[in-house]
Amino acid sequence: MPILEHLWIIPLLPLLGSALNGLLGWKWPNKTVHSVALAATGLSFACALEAVREFVANGQQLFRKEFFDWIVAGNFRAGFDLQFDQLTVVMVLVVTGVGFLIHIYSTGYMAHEEGYFRFFSYLNLFMFFMLILVLAANYTLLFVGWEGVGLCSYLLIGFYFLKKSATNAGKKAFIVNRIGDFGFMLGMFLLFRTFHTLDFTALFAQAGPLPGEAMGQFGTLTVACILLFVGATGKSAQLPLYVWLPDAMEGPTPVSALIHAATMVTAGVYVVARSHILFTHAPTAMYVVAIVGCATAFFAATIGLVQSDIKKVLAYSTVSQLGYMFLGCGVGAFSAGIFHLMTHAFFKALLFLAAGSVIHAMGGEQDMWHMGGLASKIKVTFWCMLFGTIAIAGFFPFAAFFSKDAILFAAFNHEPGGKALYAVGLLAAVLTSFYMFRLIWLTFFGQKRYDEHHVHVHESPLNMTIPLMILAALSLTGGWFALPALVGGKDYFSEFLSPVLGSGEIAGIENAHNLELTLSGVAMLAAVVGLIVAWRMYAKDVKRGKSEGLHKLLYNKYYVDELYQAAIVGPLVWISQNVLWKVVDVGVIDGTVNGIASGTTAVGDRVRQVQSGNTRSYAVWVLIGALLVFGIIFWPIVHPALVGGMR
Amino acid sequence: MVPTNYYVLLSAILFGLGIVAFVFKRNIITIFMAIELMLNAVNLAFVAFSQALGKPDGEVFVLFVIIVAAAEAAVGLGIIILTARNRRSLNVENVNLLKL
């Protein structure tokens, strides 16, 4: 059966798995539950591979099919239309592939947790929505996936719903995302108003020939792009809406790996890349994307430097790396952004899963200051973590070396202000290397800072370590598509994406190849600097120092949460309580309702006096009524006579 | 021949007396008689118009009214007797079960 003709089957399989587990899973043993979930995602991955094979066999033609109408109103049509192009290939393979590995890992990690079926049901549901998001052929359907993954994110962050902090984190993620989604929807409305369609093919065909807007000009396209980007900042945790992602670490670790590192949070990058035709017409919006991305990359990295929770370090690292992706998109190197998205999915999923394995080994401990010296005890986890760390730090020939390098190279050559973006990006790379090796040293080396009588460190089972090893291998090899570019050959990744995203070649640079080599060397140097500094500071036995000055500022995340609390949440709560509740709700709304009720009662009290129950008073009323009728009948006769008589 | 006006005027006067008696009297029997008086005032008007117009319709109506009035008198008197037995009174003020 040609899968490409039946693309719906790829998202449908996880939905089926989710429904089965959600409805029947409560009475199934764990084995059945995860068999269903694994079969659903595994088959989905297999279908995706087959679809890719067919896609390549068809000569990489954009495949697009309208399955059924969803909303038809006037000249607006939102259909269940799916499409398959080079960008989709990358996204679908990442989502189903990494998703499948994380499903396998979860069977080990979640084995002793309550609500096993619930977890897999949500996880499969997430896969469904994520696949809808990347396969959708119009913004409306994309938005369905967009909201759906947000829902699953909420459900999974709050998975341990008995923990107050987990449910709060879930709500925070959901609400912060709403702010972004508001911008996204406004962007969609604006696009529809301008182009009268939200279909990718039709919309980009219309937008393509339009003249680009000038730098600094806020035309329709620029505003639409910035609004879409507001949505992306929410979903992809960029400044200023990144605050939900670190809190999202309350969820189980596989969730952090799948949703909050590898797939969902990259949806914003995907949307920007998908809309790149619009963005290239709006240089101002591009610049905003680049600056926000660059600032986030640096800002989040600085917070990551001092965190003590192993997952928090990785969370801020994720925010920072997402910033890199946006930086890449913002300077026009969309394929580099997507490249980093893919390699990041590998190594960050790896890092999170390895961190999960560490936490598993430590019996739930997440504070790195309570670890130390684990390298010899959990060897597999250690080596996988090390692979991930080397990959993210950007050492040759690991994945991020190529992808981060491509982004920084594009930033360096961007005009105007590219050099500054490059400098900040490079600094963030140093910080990345530093905080990751700090994590390694604090966790795996040095003296034991935990009580050996209470914590029995043990290596994780095979179903957890095998996905780790696969991801470690991918973290090593994931960047090799661009390997030939180093020796003057082609970058196969960006060439593969070029039919969708354009060539991304920067023309008119002399000795581009030499420059790229030089910049690669500089990036390597940055990673080495980070490594050495971390080694100097943490390789020896360290005590947790007192937090003061800059360290305190960073440790408390620049007090951004407190700032938001004071500047936004506080006033909002105050207005809600003192105006909306006590004035509008109690005064106006309740007042109106109660007023109508008491008014009716008062009128009724008067009127019911008429019905006294006294027969004779009824007779009087009948009499009065009769007289009135007589009056009405005879008045026209009597009246002229009276008037005439007076004359 | 007596002009129709006179009949109608007499009828109106009788009807008015009936109403006044109905509203102001308290004795049930009197009220009952007031109703009969009003019925017969209407009958008088019917007959007068019937004669004036030379059509028998009015007289037919009067026969109907008399028949219904007879039935009504039977039921009404029954009610009055029961009321009188139950309450040992013919005062309509005491028949106030429906009162608030």
Side-chain angles (χ1 to χ4, degrees), chain A residues 220-278:
Chain A
T220 315
L221 277 177
T222 307
V223 173
C225 285
I226 289 177
L227 285 171
L228 287 180
F229 180 62
V230 168
T233 55
K235 191 64 78 196
S236 295
Q238 295 297 291
L239 285 172
L241 296 179
Y242 72 96
V243 288
W244 65 271
L245 187 58
D247 286 26
M249 297 303 127
E250 289 286 346
T253 309
V255 171
S256 309
L258 178 61
I259 301 184
H260 306 119
T263 54
M264 184 191 85
V265 288
T266 61
V269 183
Y270 168 75
V271 164
V272 172
R274 176 58 81 197
S275 323
H276 76 282
I277 293 179
L278 306 176

Side-chain angles (χ1 to χ4, degrees), chain A residues 403-486:
Chain A
S403 53
K404 204 186 278 181
D405 195 46
I407 290 170
L408 289 177
F409 177 64
F412 187 79
N413 292 309
H414 186 66
E415 284 304 328
K419 302 286 186 291
L421 292 174
Y422 172 79
V424 177
L426 192 68
L427 201 54
V430 177
L431 300 180
T432 306
S433 175
F434 173 79
Y435 65 64
M436 284 315 298
F437 281 105
R438 169 178 177 267
L439 184 151
I440 290 284
W441 265 299
L442 280 182
T443 310
F444 292 104
F445 295 103
Q447 61 189 174
K448 299 178 185 74
R449 289 185 297 272
Y450 54 90
D451 187 354
E452 273 184 286
H453 298 292
H454 290 101
V455 183
H456 302 285
V457 180
H458 55 282
E459 182 58 280
S460 303
L462 273 183
N463 52 2
M464 286 167 72
T465 47
I466 287 177
L468 285 182
M469 291 184 239
I470 297 173
L471 283 169
L474 285 171
S475 302
L476 172 63
T477 59
W480 288 358
F481 295 107
L483 194 56
L486 271 189

Side-chain angles (χ1 to χ4, degrees), chain A residues 611-613 616 619-620 623, chain B residues 22-25 93 98-100:
Chain A
Q611 285 204 317
S612 60
R616 286 186 311 150
V620 173
L623 179 62
Chain B
F22 182 86
V23 172
F24 291 106
K25 282 294 183 181
E93 300 281 299
L98 279 176
K99 217 171 173 181
L100 288 171

Side-chain angles (χ1 to χ4, degrees), chain A residues 304-580:
Chain A
L305 294 178
V306 296
Q307 296 303 308
S308 57
D309 184 323
I310 187 167
K311 282 181 77 182
K312 283 275 163 72
V313 174
L314 294 176
Y316 281 106
S317 162
T318 304
V319 176
S320 170
Q321 298 299 312
L322 288 164
Y324 269 116
M325 295 175 210
F326 279 111
L327 172 61
C329 290
V331 295
F334 293 100
S335 58
I338 295 295
F339 193 21
H340 197 55
L341 186 160
M342 184 185 80
T343 57
H344 176 257
F346 297 148
F347 62 69
K348 191 50 70 65
L350 168 65
L351 286 169
F352 264 116
L353 294 185
S357 184
V358 170
I359 295 164
H360 190 79
M362 295 295 296
E365 181 59 60
Q366 298 195 8
D367 192 332
M368 292 189 294
W369 290 103
H370 296 151
M371 297 177 185
L374 295 177
S376 55
K377 304 220 170 181
I378 43 175
K379 284 209 176 70
V380 180
T381 306
F382 165 65
W383 281 106
C384 291
M385 193 91 172
L386 192 64
F387 260 57
T389 304
I390 297 173
I392 193 177
F395 283 100
F396 181 83
F398 285 79
F401 170 76
F402 299 99
S403 53
K404 204 186 278 181
D405 195 46
I407 290 170
L408 289 177
F409 177 64
F412 187 79
N413 292 309
H414 186 66
E415 284 304 328
K419 302 286 186 291
L421 292 174
Y422 172 79
V424 177
L426 192 68
L427 201 54
V430 177
L431 300 180
T432 306
S433 175
F434 173 79
Y435 65 64
M436 284 315 298
F437 281 105
R438 169 178 177 267
L439 184 151
I440 290 284
W441 265 299
L442 280 182
T443 310
F444 292 104
F445 295 103
Q447 61 189 174
K448 299 178 185 74
R449 289 185 297 272
Y450 54 90
D451 187 354
E452 273 184 286
H453 298 292
H454 290 101
V455 183
H456 302 285
V457 180
H458 55 282
E459 182 58 280
S460 303
L462 273 183
N463 52 2
M464 286 167 72
T465 47
I466 287 177
L468 285 182
M469 291 184 239
I470 297 173
L471 283 169
L474 285 171
S475 302
L476 172 63
T477 59
W480 288 358
F481 295 107
L483 194 56
L486 271 189
V487 289
K490 283 183 289 192
D491 178 351
Y492 285 107
F493 193 82
S494 66
E495 190 179 87
F496 176 67
L497 284 177
S498 62
V500 188
L501 298 177
S503 67
E505 289 282 319
I506 303 148
I509 301 166
E510 288 174 32
N511 291 327
H513 182 61
N514 286 340
L515 179 61
E516 189 163 5
L517 276 183
T518 317
L519 292 184
S520 301
V522 173
M524 276 282 285
L525 203 66
V528 173
V529 168
L531 166 67
I532 291 171
V533 175
W535 178 65
R536 289 292 298 246
M537 285 178 70
Y538 293 99
K540 276 168 269 159
D541 287 340
V542 278
K543 293 272 180 325
R544 186 177 199 162
K546 230 182 115 200
S547 186
E548 54 197 353
L550 186 62
H551 186 280
K552 196 175 172 194
L553 180 69
L554 293 178
Y555 190 74
N556 289 303
K557 310 150 208 163
Y558 294 102
Y559 298 97
V560 169
D561 277 332
E562 286 77 3
L563 188 74
Y564 283 1
Q565 179 71 33
I568 297 167
V569 180
L572 214 60
V573 169
W574 188 88
I575 290 173
S576 302
Q577 278 191 341
N578 292 306
V579 178
L580 294 179

